[in-house]
Amino acid sequence: MLFRINDKKEEVLDYCIDKKNLYMGIILFDELEKVYKLFSIEDSAIEKCKNIGELNYNTVFLNNNYLFGVISLINSRNIFLKKDQFAFYIFKNIFLIIILDDDDSHILSVFNNMYTHLDESNITIAKIIYLFFNGLIINDYQYIERLQDDIE
């Protein structure tokens, strides 16, 4: 799913993007493999996503045109599940999340919640990024608080 955000939010079905609008999206890796050239993403960044199992750490790469990162999250809802993993690309006007592993759909849920509550007025890429990562972090913080209460 890719959305254009200006005065209103609208889904972009054909990945037709321009430089004057803001975009946010969340897609599976299989979809990224089909459309990455439309975003001018380099083959090497796609290979890093494909070989995510070889990375045992979170990482961020800086490119001339975008920032690319891979993040693994301990699943605080069920620590016995494997880690949630996603990649992200940040361009001047695009924030794109790539789901690599999300068995319980937590990453998608955070994205959908952010999108639903997003106020289109005065929106920036920085605000979109903040809302997404804040949604991920706040859940971990609440989980840690519950664990601390249980221990006490």
Side-chain angles (χ1 to χ4, degrees):
M1 299 180 290
L2 182 68
F3 300 95
R4 180 180 302 114
I5 302 174
N6 280 330
D7 296 336
K8 60 182 178 174
K9 299 179 267 192
E10 59 184 329
E11 189 167 3
V12 179
L13 299 175
D14 57 2
Y15 292 97
C16 184
I17 55 177
D18 57 55
K19 300 210 183 276
K20 67 178 181 164
N21 290 302
L22 296 179
Y23 298 87
M24 60 185 271
I26 188 164
I27 60 176
L28 297 172
F29 179 73
D30 293 344
E31 183 71 13
L32 178 67
E33 282 187 303
K34 297 174 190 170
V35 300
Y36 74 97
K37 296 275 188 199
L38 298 173
F39 293 97
S40 300
I41 296 173
E42 294 178 353
D43 293 340
S44 61
I46 298 302
E47 286 302 312
K48 285 184 175 75
C49 277
K50 192 181 290 186
N51 300 322
I52 188 68
E54 297 172 10
L55 292 176
N56 293 323
Y57 54 89
N58 297 329
T59 188
V60 177
F61 302 95
L62 182 59
N63 179 288
N64 289 335
N65 300 317
Y66 56 86
L67 184 71
F68 162 69
V70 177
I71 295 181
S72 296
L73 303 168
I74 294 173
N75 191 327
S76 63
R77 289 132 341 265
N78 184 347
I79 60 173
F80 300 107
L81 287 177
K82 58 186 171 180
K83 293 180 183 180
D84 289 339
Q85 295 180 314
F86 69 97
F88 62 89
Y89 293 89
I90 301 172
F91 298 82
K92 191 180 262 186
N93 64 328
I94 305 168
F95 179 50
L96 184 63
I97 301 159
I98 315 307
I99 295 176
L100 302 172
D101 203 341
D102 188 21
D103 287 344
D104 64 351
S105 299
H106 175 64
I107 297 167
L108 181 59
S109 174
V110 169
F111 179 88
N112 286 335
N113 187 46
M114 172 196 63
Y115 177 77
T116 301
H117 295 96
L118 187 69
D119 178 10
E120 303 92 25
S121 62
N122 200 23
I123 195 68
T124 64
I125 285 296
K127 287 179 184 176
I128 293 170
I129 295 165
Y130 164 79
L131 290 170
F132 176 75
F133 282 105
N134 187 60
L136 286 176
I137 292 168
I138 198 72
N139 287 330
D140 287 343
Y141 181 72
Q142 290 168 346
Y143 172 72
I144 290 168
E145 277 187 336
R146 284 193 309 271
L147 276 178
Q148 187 174 2
D149 290 344
D150 289 347
I151 292 169
E152 292 174 351

